[in-house]
Amino acid sequence: MLITLMISLFVLLALSVPIAVSIGLASVIAIVFASDLPINVLAQKAFTSIDSFSLMAIPFFIFAGTLMEKGGIARRLVRFASSLVGGMTGGLGMVVVVTSMFFAAISGSGIAATAALGSILIPAMIKKGYDRSYAGALQAISGELGVIIPPSISMILFGVAASVSIGDLFIAGILPGLMIGFSLMLGVFIISKIKGYKGDKDLPKGEIWVSFKDAILALLMPVIILGGIYGGIFTPTEAAAVAVAYAFIIGVFVYKEIKFKDLISIFSRSMIMTSIVMFIIANAGIFAWVLTREGVPQKLAMFFGNVTDSPIMFLLIINIVLFVIGMFFDGSVAIIILAPLLTPIAVSLGIDPVHFGMIMITNLAIGMCTPPLGVNLFVSCQIANIRLEQITKAILPFIGIMIINVLLISYIPQISLFLVELFKR
């Protein structure tokens, strides 16, 4: 059945069938033509894959992110970030990174951050004389912070797939997210020095305080979420529901930028995005179940046991494999399929599962910005009105920065675990 499964998958991918459909259809073909299992096992396994209380956090965070996006939050965060770093060398480029860090702590989605902020910042950068490909590349690579800085949908998926605390993953993502954000800012500074991109020196007096007051309610959202989780007030899933209530009150009654008539389109967009994610989870769950039934986890464990018993070499191999997989597979699909297979092997080598989760999430986040299937690249290309080959050259230095960050996260566990251990004392 395993051979039939893999051949079917590669054929479907070669025919350009969407990945989520390919893994589900390949599973159907394998079960129908290469096993004696009843067909109704497919529905059972698909339902089991999404029958999780923790996964309820996904539609809530998606809905909260959409409410915050439509409620004027993105514009306020851009203004606050501009007041902080807009006057530095490469000012608008710095604003892209800082705003993406702020928005990541609200949306939980890399695509949402790229689309919401890119529609504001990419045209602004082009108008200021920045190269189109550079503007698009910077927004694409900054958008991937949405899955690294908590709350993150990828962290929820890993936590469910690998049976790891989602709360611990949220805390573990703070330092890696900050480190990546500041390293991208360093890259922006160096590139801007070379290309002559200057900052905005004409900021109004007192702009930092004024813009901070305007954005403070948005900045409080991650504080409420993480503080509530680690204060024992609510679970990560309940925190997502709190985020929805908070975003609704801020957008409708405080900022008053969301009208009740707008809620229909907000609900509709959130439901579509949730349906897409759940469809991926259901199909990936069937695919992972077939792999498990065929003994793939045991075969992988034997393979790595024969190749190396060194955690250092294991992480090097895994990072290379994840980087390649991220170029062709959606990160959500890869996490659901690979997390339950690889995490037990990592634990057997003495690697903390929360640490391994951050390695997997940050590595696969790079895939959002690498051709041929980098979703952030396509979004940025559309906004900047450029071709994929144009943005690919511009994003290579930032991909290099991301690879360095992944290696640091891999081999310095305390970057991920320091705050987790601190909160548990």
Side-chain angles (χ1 to χ4, degrees):
M1 186 161 66
L2 182 61
I3 295 175
T4 304
L5 178 75
M6 300 312 296
I7 291 175
S8 302
L9 177 63
F10 287 124
V11 169
L12 291 167
L13 291 175
L15 294 174
S16 298
V17 178
I19 292 173
V21 177
S22 295
I23 59 176
L25 193 53
S27 303
V28 172
I29 293 171
I31 290 173
V32 172
F33 295 102
S35 78
D36 56 359
L37 295 170
I39 191 67
N40 59 6
V41 74
L42 292 168
Q44 179 186 6
K45 295 303 175 183
F47 177 79
T48 303
S49 300
I50 58 176
D51 183 24
S52 168
F53 178 74
S54 297
L55 288 178
M56 287 179 62
I58 292 177
F60 281 123
F61 276 127
I62 289 174
F63 187 33
T66 307
L67 285 169
M68 298 292 266
E69 176 187 340
K70 295 295 184 182
I73 299 301
R75 177 169 47 80
R76 287 173 169 82
L77 292 177
V78 168
R79 182 185 174 189
F80 179 52
S82 297
S83 71
L84 292 176
V85 298
M88 299 172 64
T89 299
L92 262 181
M94 295 285 190
V95 171
V96 170
V97 180
V98 173
T99 311
S100 296
M101 293 169 71
F102 288 150
F103 199 80
I106 295 171
S107 68
S109 166
I111 301 174
T114 304
L117 300 177
S119 60
I120 300 173
L121 290 169
I122 291 177
M125 291 182 72
I126 295 171
K127 187 177 179 180
K128 282 283 188 179
Y130 287 77
D131 183 74
R132 284 179 177 269
S133 58
Y134 172 76
L138 180 56
Q139 183 59 74
I141 200 72
S142 299
E144 49 85 33
L145 287 166
V147 301
I148 299 171
I149 294 177
S152 161
I153 292 174
S154 292
M155 292 176 185
I156 296 170
L157 294 177
F158 182 89
V160 172
S163 299
V164 175
S165 168
I166 296 171
D168 286 351
L169 289 167
F170 279 4
I171 297 299
I174 295 175
L175 290 183
L178 291 174
M179 182 179 72
I180 292 171
F182 287 127
S183 65
L184 289 176
M185 290 175 67
L186 177 61
V188 169
F189 179 82
I190 294 171
I191 293 172
S192 297
K193 277 288 188 183
I194 295 171
K195 295 194 173 187
Y197 297 143
K198 301 186 182 300
D200 184 2
K201 302 297 184 182
D202 300 322
L203 294 174
K205 187 177 180 180
E207 175 65 7
I208 292 179
W209 175 242
V210 173
S211 60
F212 173 73
K213 287 193 297 182
D214 199 28
I216 188 171
L217 293 175
L219 298 172
L220 280 176
M221 185 173 174
V223 176
I224 292 172
I225 292 172
L226 296 178
I229 292 172
Y230 266 80
I233 301 173
F234 38 67
T235 67
T237 304
E238 292 165 346
V242 171
V244 169
Y246 183 82
F248 178 82
I249 293 170
I250 297 303
V252 176
F253 299 109
V254 180
Y255 291 157
K256 297 181 180 179
E257 296 199 18
I258 298 177
K259 309 300 180 185
F260 280 99
K261 63 180 181 180
D262 299 328
L263 291 177
I264 296 176
S265 63
I266 292 174
F267 270 114
S268 175
R269 182 179 176 188
S270 300
M271 286 189 291
I272 290 171
M273 291 176 66
T274 299
S275 299
I276 292 171
V277 174
M278 291 301 179
F279 181 74
I280 292 172
I281 295 172
N283 283 326
I286 299 172
F287 190 84
W289 174 76
V290 174
L291 292 179
T292 302
R293 191 176 186 277
E294 292 298 295
V296 172
Q298 293 79 7
K299 293 173 184 176
L300 278 175
M302 289 179 60
F303 169 77
F304 282 111
N306 292 330
V307 171
T308 181
D309 58 358
S310 166
I312 295 175
M313 286 304 299
F314 170 77
L315 290 177
L316 180 62
I317 295 170
I318 286 298
N319 276 318
I320 294 172
V321 170
L322 290 175
F323 181 82
V324 175
I325 288 174
M327 295 175 68
F328 299 97
F329 280 79
D330 179 85
S332 300
V333 174
I335 287 171
I336 297 165
I337 293 174
L338 296 178
L341 302 181
L342 298 177
T343 304
I345 302 173
V347 172
S348 70
L349 292 173
I351 300 168
D352 187 283
V354 174
H355 175 216
F356 186 71
M358 288 311 305
I359 294 170
M360 178 172 281
I361 290 166
T362 52
N363 196 315
L364 292 173
I366 302 176
M368 302 173 71
C369 305
T370 52
L373 298 175
V375 289
N376 282 11
L377 291 185
F378 293 119
V379 173
S380 289
C381 282
Q382 186 176 11
I383 297 172
N385 194 26
I386 54 177
R387 298 187 306 274
L388 184 63
E389 55 267 29
Q390 291 176 279
I391 201 173
T392 299
K393 182 178 179 181
I395 208 167
L396 288 177
F398 297 114
I399 295 295
I401 292 172
M402 283 299 303
I403 291 173
I404 293 171
N405 276 283
V406 167
L407 292 175
L408 289 173
I409 292 167
S410 297
Y411 294 114
I412 307 177
Q414 287 306 108
I415 295 175
S416 301
L417 300 179
F418 173 74
L419 289 181
V420 177
E421 294 170 354
L422 183 65
F423 274 89
K424 287 184 176 179
R425 288 176 185 172

